[in-house]
Amino acid sequence: MTSDRSIEVSRLVDAPPERAFALVADPDRHPDLDASGMVRASQTHLAITELGDVFTMDMHNEQMGDYTVENHVVVYEPDAALGWAPAGPGQRPAGYTWTYTFEADGDGTRVTLTYDWSAVTDPQLLEYFPVVDADTLDASLGLLAEALA
């Protein structure tokens, strides 16, 4: 599902919700799950354990080159949902989020990934959205499914 300010994709993975959640809650694994190639490495090396956690990632894209983001955990429901809002180091989140939801479905889990930039208000920043498309998000869920296989 895509709107003018968000993209949402879903996929059934062959793992229980707690395994899928635990994998996404490990920032060291995020480069393995990112089909865009922008996520390079975790600086934090600690699992996400609660609402308000901040984990730092090394990133890269063509427009900005190498850069760092601090991801502020804005959704934390163990084994059910996990989301974060990126920000520049020492700054407030810019208004976009990445949120995973995990719902038991038979012997597996329906994982939904939502990329939402509806709270971005800076017109100059808005020009860069979306930075990924639905196909890239779907490919990221494919990487998650492979990692859980």
Side-chain angles (χ1 to χ4, degrees):
M1 179 174 82
T2 300
S3 75
D4 62 338
R5 301 294 288 275
S6 69
I7 302 169
E8 181 178 290
V9 297
S10 292
R11 179 179 289 233
L12 188 61
V13 299
D14 188 23
E18 58 272 11
R19 270 192 63 223
F21 181 92
L23 184 60
V24 174
D26 181 356
D28 284 345
R29 295 299 307 271
H30 287 196
D32 303 331
L33 307 177
D34 172 42
S36 76
M38 290 188 293
V39 179
R40 297 299 170 95
S42 168
Q43 290 185 8
T44 309
H45 309 298
L46 297 171
I48 300 163
T49 59
E50 64 185 5
L51 193 66
D53 275 356
V54 177
F55 62 99
T56 305
M57 302 298 292
D58 292 329
M59 307 287 290
H60 179 88
N61 70 32
E62 288 186 24
Q63 287 111 348
M64 296 177 61
D66 293 330
Y67 62 102
T68 300
V69 295
E70 292 177 346
N71 293 299
H72 298 253
V73 177
V74 295
V75 176
Y76 187 87
E77 299 171 28
D79 305 333
L82 182 60
W84 53 88
Q91 298 179 7
R92 299 175 80 191
Y96 62 101
T97 58
W98 302 90
T99 304
Y100 287 81
T101 59
F102 309 88
E103 184 178 347
D105 187 335
D107 291 335
T109 301
R110 168 89 30 213
V111 180
T112 301
L113 173 55
T114 305
Y115 168 46
D116 184 314
W117 61 98
S118 61
V120 174
T121 58
D122 180 340
Q124 289 182 307
L125 184 58
L126 267 174
E127 293 177 18
Y128 294 101
F129 287 90
V131 297
V132 297
D133 59 18
D135 290 340
T136 303
L137 293 180
D138 186 58
S140 291
L141 289 184
L143 293 171
L144 175 64
E146 288 175 20
L148 290 165

